[in-house]
Amino acid sequence: MNNFTYSIPTKIHFGKGQIAHLSELRESGEKVLLVYGGGSIKKAGIYDTAMKILKDAGLCVSELSGVEPNPRIESVVKGVGICKEENIDMVLAIGGGSVIDCGKVIAAGACSEEDPWELVLHPEKITAALPIYSVLTLAATGSEMDKFAVISDLKKNEKWGTASEHMKPKMSIMDPEYTYSVSKKQTAAGTADMISHIFENYFTNVSNADVQARFAEGLLKNCFYYGPVALEHPDDYDARANLMWTSSMAINGILSDGAEVAWCVHPMEHELSAFYDITHGEGLAILTPHWMEFALNEATAKKFADYGRNVWNLPMAEDDMETARKAINCTKEFFKDMGLPSTLREVGIDETYFDVMAEKAAAGCKGSYVELTKEDIVHIYENAL
Ligand code: NZQ
Ligand code: ZN
């Protein structure tokens, strides 16, 4: 295991009715910028509840609405403008990962003279941020408890992740009931996203990081069990609660600290979203089994077999390579059963940009579990077609 410093400043209020804690925003000042998406929070009544609590607490609320899935830099720029003009004290994002990511970079941009896109391209330029609060409404990205934000400039076909300790939320409210209204498509995509985050951390070259590995296997089992339950019964509290807490645990450092490895399926997927604006979790579900098939070899078979035995309960007696193949197949079948697409064509992608996407993704994959060249990535895209 590598050395690490584990630090999560985010206070989590988890469970039914925890939105009452929004009154605590008062500790960061008076003026809040409320950031939200295309209206799901209004339909679900979360907006009205939040506004009442904020007003009763004496907070003054400005709003930025309409943040897009795969949030655009234009929304960030708009939010930064409001913060600066109105001397905003803090940012409150209510929504899924897109809204929270947008809120995070707004909070950083409000404390900077840099062009906000520079903060996306050069995380080291983020030197401060307004306090960030979130109310999570979709279990997927883990943005509610991590330092990352992913922003797109679709005019340039660019989608990049930035990261900063300053962007870790100060407080996040996680009420599983708020995810009852999430569509089947987004529930499946969100589950695929957290599964992918776990895999990206699990397949590491750091040896003997067993706490992280066993924890990852437990979280995977949880996704494979509760994902289908949430699809079938959207208002099953236990399913939504267990998925929601898994989304945070998958990416808040518990699995990665001490077992660091560069991610590779995510850089490959971010290019698909940058060029075709697809749903992140769907792209991951398409690419993951093909990445696994590519990464499986004599050296990695043991790890894939561990995954098969410990997560899918495959028999201990069979040899590693056979078990590994079965485990990959279980993964593929799971995504299919969740109604997720399994080919790029299903989401409107053909080979037109494979070369340029692979070139950009390869830069992000340096230091991954199995090294990927640009040609390897083109090969994976072709297999996923
Ligand atoms: O815009 P609204 O109306 O809110 O609707 C959203 C959106 O259309 C809807 N939704 C959210 N909560 C809902 C709901 N609909 C009904 N009921 C609810 N309770 O769902 C749609 C998708 O929302 P979005 O926020 O885009 O989804 P998600 O949470 O999956 O976020 C995806 C974004 O996060 C990035 C992805 O690349 C993508 O841009 N990621 C962020 C990460 C991070 N910050 O750590 C890591 C991830 O790997 C990922 O890259
Ligand atoms: Zn992801």
Side-chain angles (χ1 to χ4, degrees), residues 16 41 134 140 146 179 194 207 253 295 302 308 314 343 351 354 361:
K16 296 176 192 178
I41 68 161
S134 86
D146 74 18
T179 63
M194 56 186 104
S207 55
K302 164 83 172 63
L314 296 176
T343 64
E351 52 276 80
F354 279 4

Side-chain angles (χ1 to χ4, degrees), residues 36-41 44 46 66-71 94-101 104 136-144 146-152 159 178-183 186 189-190 193 197 251 263 266 269-270 273 279-281 284:
Y36 58 100
S40 71
I41 68 161
I46 305 168
V67 173
E68 315 79 1
N70 295 332
I94 307 187
S98 294
V99 166
I100 301 175
D101 285 4
K104 284 175 169 177
L136 182 67
T137 66
L138 199 171
T141 65
S143 187
E144 67 278 2
D146 74 18
K147 62 182 176 182
F148 305 107
V150 185
I151 304 295
S152 297
K159 175 175 183 172
Y178 289 169
T179 63
Y180 287 176
S181 55
V182 175
S183 66
Q186 291 294 341
D193 190 22
H197 297 162
I251 198 171
W263 291 16
H266 270 68
E269 193 295 313
H270 282 169
S273 293
T279 298
H280 174 60
L284 295 169

